Each structure stands twice: as C-alpha cells, then as structure tokens.
Amino acid sequence: MRLSLTRIESYVLSATLLGVGVALAVIAAVIMLADFVELSRTLGVGAELGFSQTLRLTLLHAPSVILLLLPFAFLFGVLGAFVNLNRRSELIAMRAAGVSAWRFIFPAAGAAVVIGLVAITILNPVASALAAQYERDVEALRRGAAVASGKEIWLRQGDSHTQIVIHAHRQVSQGETLVLTGVSLFVSTPSKDHKGLEFSRRIEAQQAKLTPGAWLLTGAREATPGAEALRYDSLTLPTTLEGRTALERFTSPKAVPFWGLWDAISRTELAGFPATGYRLQLDELLATPLLLAAMSVLAAAFSLRLIRLGGLAGLAGSGVALGFVLFFFNQFCRALGEAGAIPPMAAAWTPPVLALLSGFTLLCYTEDG
C-alpha cells in the first residue's frame, strides 16, 4: 500500500490545510470578539472587570467553542481551497493529466482524520481544563468570591446492601474539599424478605465534609423508626465518593475531558444515576474524526464542477447550506440522545455517517458520472 504522496497530492493537501487554517482563524476571531463583548456586557459593570481580565476569560473560553465549530472550519476551508484551485484552472489541468479527484481528496480526508484524533486526545482535555477554570472564575466574579453554588445538591452512594440519598441546601467551596450545609441523609438497607431496600434511618447535620473514605458530619441528629432521636457533635459515615468527582453529575459532560469520560461513566452508573450524557459525549468525540473527514469530502465534492460550465458559486453555496443542515441535524440527534429517545451511539454516529455517504455519492456522480 502506497503511503507517500505525489507532488500533486502534496500540493492540494497543503492548499487544503492552508484553507482550513484561514477558516479556523476567522472563526476563532469572530468567536473571541463576540465572547469578549458578551463578557464586557454581562460582567464588566457589576464586577468591575478590566480589559486584561476580560481578555483572559475570553481566551479561557474560546478553545472549547472553537472545537465545537471545528467541522465548519473544515467545511469552509476545504470548500474555499478547492474553489480557489478551480478558479485558477489547476483542477482542470490535474484532471486533464489523468489525475482522478479521488487521489487528491482522500489525502485531505486523511488529514482531517489525523487532526480529529489530535483534537479529541490532546486538544479536548486542554480545552476542558480551560473551560472549567473559566466557569470557576466567572462564578467567583458573579459572587465576589468562590463561595456557594446556590443550588440544592442531591447525591446518592452505596451498593446492593445499603443506599444513602444525600440532600444539601448549599455547597461551600473550601479549596479542593467538598463541604455541604443543611444536610439530610436517608439511609436504606435490605428488607427482611430480601426483595428490596427499605428506609432504616435519617440523619440530619448542620455540615458535612467529605474526607477520604468518609463523611464527617457536624451537629448531627439521627432518627430511626420507632426509636428516640440521637444527637452527635460529630459523626463519621463511610463513603465511596471522592471530593474531586462527587458532584460530577452536576457538571456538563462537555466539561469532562476525553480521557476522563470512561471513569465518569463507571462512577455515575455505580452511584445509580444514568450516564446517558457522558456516553453521548464520548461517542460524539469518537465520531469527530469521521465527521471532519465527511465535511472535507462533502466540501470537495461541491467544488469540483468545471468553472466554464457555470454554476460553481451556486453549488458551493449549496455545500455551505448543506453543512448548516447537517449541523442542525447533529444537534437534533443529540437532543434525541439526551432525552433517551435513541441510543447515544446512534445519536452520535448517524450525522457523520450520513454526511460521508452524501459526499461519496455526490463525488461519484461528479467524477464517475
């Protein structure tokens, strides 16, 4: 199998990568400008946000949004590169010399696959870390300090023998330590007939601090059915939760890096919660290389029409319109996947597969008749 590229293939590939780079730079500039203006409008007045702070937040947030719109960079970049080659009659000369369109489209699609793999394995974890820092900084600016999240917290821990549902009125940040206030714990144990779990006791505490392997409850009051309530200044309750991941189900799946999704799925399901969002995010990331390749093939197929035949601008515009249709179709499938209407794998892989098949169909019709 030949892995090296000919001079023509290398030339078309370099022009394609240049077009993608220009499209990505334009998209990134537009995103950063819009984000900068939005941050200045929403946070600048109340938090007295300066130019440097606004720029820092913009740079933190931009990578995650850019990765989301990376398929458009390939659509516009490849389309622009091939239209430019067509206008300069370079594609006509290549095809007149007997070079099939498949030969210079497949290297571009291969490059898209490689860039997609780099994006999900390297760039996505970096973007997720920056996005998490962005959320923390924005929350701190909105509240004046990194204090409470303002949302009620519901957690669950346990196994087949014991289940504990934890409710707290607020979460307090103390560095990396998770601290909850206004806590109620509902403990269930196996029933006497061993056919299920039944409520066994309730514990209320002023504060619960998550330490390694245990909850440290302060000002606790324990009540069991038919017995007098017991009070404790402090009470320790074993747990399998970790401070770093206990609240992960309240975090958007997009904020979890690629390499942490498998662990997030197993921990979420072990705690008894559905992991549909994490599974969908994982499948979408795994499908990213295929989606980028599909956008490259689709864009190239829409720009191969000979310029002397006319209608190239309309065909290229149709390619852009189809790209937007695929984007909204992708979001529609994602919504169905999040709602559980279709399996996460089907929701993530259907749009790129359809896009790739559409590109191959159009390419076969254009090139082979």
Side-chain angles (χ1 to χ4, degrees):
M1 181 178 179
R2 181 176 62 87
L3 296 178
S4 59
L5 300 178
T6 64
R7 183 172 297 181
I8 290 179
E9 291 169 346
S10 299
Y11 175 74
V12 175
L13 178 59
S14 62
T16 299
L17 293 178
L18 178 61
V20 172
V22 172
L24 186 59
V26 172
I27 291 175
V30 172
I31 290 174
M32 292 177 65
L33 180 60
D35 207 16
F36 185 90
V37 173
E38 181 66 15
L39 286 172
S40 300
R41 185 182 66 84
T42 57
L43 295 177
V45 179
E48 297 182 357
L49 203 61
F51 175 82
S52 60
Q53 289 178 296
T54 307
L55 181 60
R56 176 178 175 274
L57 290 175
T58 302
L59 294 175
L60 288 175
H61 190 229
S64 58
V65 183
I66 292 173
L67 284 180
L68 178 65
L69 298 179
L70 191 59
F72 281 101
F74 273 87
L75 177 66
F76 298 147
V78 174
L79 189 63
F82 275 80
V83 167
N84 192 36
L85 291 173
N86 206 344
R87 289 187 181 278
R88 296 203 302 257
S89 300
E90 291 177 304
L91 289 183
I92 298 175
M94 294 177 195
R95 300 173 78 177
V99 180
S100 172
W102 298 97
R103 286 181 56 186
F104 48 76
I105 288 179
F106 275 154
V113 171
V114 172
I115 294 175
L117 291 174
V118 172
I120 66 175
T121 58
I122 299 177
L123 300 182
N124 173 264
V126 174
S128 297
L130 294 178
Q133 183 63 45
Y134 167 83
E135 294 295 338
R136 288 194 295 269
D137 290 351
V138 169
E139 184 70 14
L141 287 170
R142 284 175 177 168
R143 299 183 180 275
V147 219
S149 66
K151 296 181 181 179
E152 290 190 350
I153 304 297
W154 287 92
L155 298 173
R156 187 165 69 179
Q157 69 174 61
D159 49 32
S160 59
H161 302 290
T162 304
Q163 289 288 331
I164 302 177
V165 176
I166 304 170
H167 171 251
H169 290 292
R170 45 187 297 195
Q171 169 201 353
V172 180
S173 298
Q174 290 187 4
E176 296 296 324
T177 304
L178 174 63
V179 179
L180 305 177
T181 60
V183 184
S184 298
L185 298 94
F186 305 90
V187 183
S188 298
T189 54
S191 59
K192 294 180 180 180
D193 56 7
H194 300 286
K195 293 184 178 180
L197 297 175
E198 61 180 13
F199 173 77
S200 63
R201 57 179 173 149
R202 173 176 176 173
I203 303 174
E204 295 184 354
Q206 297 175 0
Q207 186 181 87
K209 179 183 293 187
L210 183 57
T211 60
W215 286 101
L216 180 59
L217 307 178
T218 304
R221 178 177 177 271
E222 180 181 3
T224 55
E228 185 178 349
L230 301 176
R231 298 183 180 274
Y232 305 91
D233 292 333
S234 63
L235 181 65
T236 301
L237 195 68
T239 182
T240 56
L241 299 177
E242 301 176 7
R244 181 177 60 87
T245 57
L247 298 178
E248 208 164 49
R249 81 180 192 91
F250 294 98
T251 304
S252 170
K254 294 186 177 182
V256 180
F258 174 73
W259 298 109
L261 283 170
W262 284 277
D263 196 24
I265 290 172
S266 63
R267 283 195 306 270
T268 303
E269 292 181 340
L270 184 62
F273 295 110
T276 304
Y278 296 112
R279 290 190 178 277
L280 180 60
Q281 176 68 8
L282 177 60
D283 284 322
E284 283 189 340
L285 288 176
L286 292 175
T288 296
L290 182 64
L291 179 60
L292 298 185
M295 287 298 190
S296 300
V297 172
L298 200 60
F302 270 99
S303 57
L304 288 179
R305 181 181 177 88
L306 296 178
I307 194 170
R308 61 182 175 81
L309 297 179
L312 180 60
L315 198 60
S318 300
V320 173
L322 183 59
F324 280 101
V325 170
L326 286 172
F327 176 79
F328 288 113
F329 178 65
N330 189 25
Q331 297 302 307
F332 175 70
C333 289
R334 179 179 179 84
L336 292 179
E338 289 177 338
I342 58 177
M345 182 175 292
W349 288 90
T350 298
V353 168
L354 286 181
L356 189 62
L357 292 178
S358 300
F360 280 155
T361 301
L362 183 59
L363 194 57
C364 288
Y365 177 79
T366 303
E367 182 67 10
D368 301 325

